[in-house]
Amino acid sequence: AAMAEGSSVAFGQVVIGPPGSGKTTYCHGMQQFLGSIGRKVAVVNLDPANEAVPYRCALDVAELITLPDVMESLRLGPNGGLIYCMEYLEANSDWLQEKLAALRGHYYLFDCPGQVELYTHHRALKNVFAQLAKWNFRLAAVHLVDSHYCTDPGKFISVLCTSLSTMLHVELPHVNVLSKMDLIEQYGKLAFNLDYYTEVLDLSYLLDHLASDPFFRSYRRLNQKLVEVIEDYSLVSFVPLNVQDKASMRQLMQVVDKANGCCFGEQEHRSLEALMSAAVGADFHFTSTLGVQEKYLQSQDKAVEEEVMEL
């Protein structure tokens, strides 16, 4: 029987973000991490361009449609082809419903395409998420952003705009993630402490920082208006993530469990203490960022020591 309205609640994540942000790596790492703590996980690949995925794939959209086939048969480019694939998936939601019904009792990770416009204004994938909600899926959107954008103030403002637009369009409980934190020291030194970027603090400092660049100086009024929009909504913040660090994965899991309601469900047996620790917001958020910041500063100090030794 297909999963339908009135059936048992299923929890999960839709993993979104631009190409190269680490979505597939995240799904692989989270599958392994959740499996190690006893949670039954099913990874669903919704990206028709994904090939040779590293994780155990319980359901693959390639069984329904693939991007190379669409591009060849309809003579579309990769972007147009991907949009067609998502519209085709939306039109064949009964196929998805039937396949997901066979995986009942799992925690779901949906590995989604990386095309940004799918999450900012195109409606096909948003409608698929809405359909999942009607089938009693309780999902949180995990939006991955490469942490290297923090090292460039102009790019970071663009990322904030994209994140805000995605949050407003997708209409799911939303967790923004700065991925690849283990590589951030390779991208260059941060202008401010990490919590400035994760909590999206007073962005006027970013505008002052941009003023030193002749190119951005002429666009100061535009950047100022963009910053005002971001601050007026007051929605965007980030959770730092190193997918190879178990403590970092556990902290993100607690944030997502709170967002989709899994920590209040019966997915796992939880003591009152564990339940409350997952439900707490600000204190946990601060300490998790503090831990990553400390590792980042240590790596900076080590790099300076190595330079001194070479001299």
Side-chain angles (χ1 to χ4, degrees):
M3 190 179 294
E5 294 181 30
S7 63
S8 60
V9 173
F11 295 99
Q13 309 173 23
V14 293
V15 184
I16 62 180
S21 57
K23 297 184 296 297
T24 297
T25 301
Y26 170 83
C27 288
H28 187 206
M30 188 57 77
Q31 181 187 53
Q32 292 179 320
F33 177 78
L34 293 177
S36 70
I37 63 172
R39 196 178 293 189
K40 289 174 62 180
V41 181
V43 183
V44 179
N45 176 39
L46 291 185
D47 186 355
N50 253 355
E51 295 179 358
V53 291
Y55 48 72
R56 299 187 309 277
C57 190
L59 174 58
D60 195 339
V61 72
E63 299 173 25
L64 176 70
I65 193 170
T66 65
L67 182 59
D69 288 346
V70 168
M71 291 172 63
E72 183 179 350
S73 59
L74 299 180
R75 296 185 179 180
L76 293 171
N79 289 342
L82 195 52
I83 288 175
Y84 179 89
C85 288
M86 293 301 99
E87 292 174 343
Y88 190 83
L89 175 64
E90 179 190 4
N92 290 273
S93 59
D94 54 340
W95 172 87
L96 183 63
Q97 184 180 21
E98 182 181 348
K99 293 291 185 179
L100 290 173
L103 299 171
R104 291 182 64 175
H106 286 76
Y107 182 92
Y108 298 84
L109 297 173
F110 292 89
D111 188 2
C112 298
Q115 195 168 348
V116 175
E117 53 263 45
L118 290 173
Y119 312 107
T120 55
H121 60 274
H122 195 263
R123 301 188 65 85
L125 206 50
K126 173 185 176 179
N127 292 340
V128 171
F129 297 156
Q131 191 63 58
L132 288 168
K134 291 179 181 178
W135 300 334
N136 272 343
F137 279 80
R138 300 295 177 261
L139 301 173
V142 177
H143 182 213
L144 300 183
V145 174
D146 197 319
S147 60
H148 83 81
Y149 290 116
C150 295
T151 59
D152 186 315
K155 289 180 180 177
F156 187 62
I157 291 175
S158 298
V159 161
L160 292 175
C161 291
T162 303
S163 298
L164 178 60
S165 179
T166 301
M167 293 174 77
L168 296 175
H169 183 73
V170 172
E171 295 181 345
L172 283 175
H174 205 96
V175 179
N176 291 306
V177 178
L178 285 177
S179 64
K180 306 181 185 179
M181 286 304 303
D182 51 318
L183 302 176
I184 192 169
E185 67 270 13
Q186 297 180 15
Y187 300 136
K189 189 175 181 180
L190 297 180
F192 308 100
N193 285 340
L194 185 61
D195 63 337
Y196 178 87
Y197 301 92
T198 57
E199 300 301 324
V200 189
L201 301 175
D202 189 350
L203 295 177
S204 62
Y205 293 111
L206 269 187
L207 294 176
D208 294 338
H209 201 71
L210 281 171
S212 60
D213 188 315
F215 175 80
F216 287 108
R217 193 182 302 134
S218 58
Y219 293 99
R220 182 180 176 89
R221 288 184 62 195
L222 173 61
N223 284 321
Q224 186 175 356
K225 293 300 180 184
L226 291 174
V227 161
E228 287 175 3
V229 170
I230 295 161
E231 291 185 327
D232 285 346
Y233 274 97
S234 226
L235 290 175
V236 186
S237 63
F238 295 91
V239 179
L241 173 67
N242 173 6
V243 78
Q244 297 176 353
D245 184 351
K246 287 184 179 179
S248 182
M249 291 289 280
R250 179 178 177 274
Q251 289 163 351
L252 178 56
M253 179 200 73
Q254 288 181 317
V255 176
V256 177
D257 279 357
K258 179 187 173 186
N260 63 17
C262 186
C263 67
F264 304 106
E266 299 178 356
Q267 183 87 2
E268 299 168 0
H269 174 71
R270 295 178 182 272
S271 66
L272 179 61
E273 182 181 354
L275 180 64
M276 291 307 296
S277 69
V280 168
D283 289 342
F284 150 74
H285 216 58
F286 174 75
T287 53
S288 67
T289 304
L290 204 63
V292 176
Q293 174 71 20
E294 187 176 342
K295 290 180 181 179
Y296 167 69
L297 291 175
Q298 286 174 352
S299 66
Q300 288 281 322
D301 292 341
K302 186 178 178 181
V304 170
E305 287 177 7
E306 290 174 352
E307 288 180 8
V308 171
M309 290 294 290
E310 288 177 2
L311 291 173

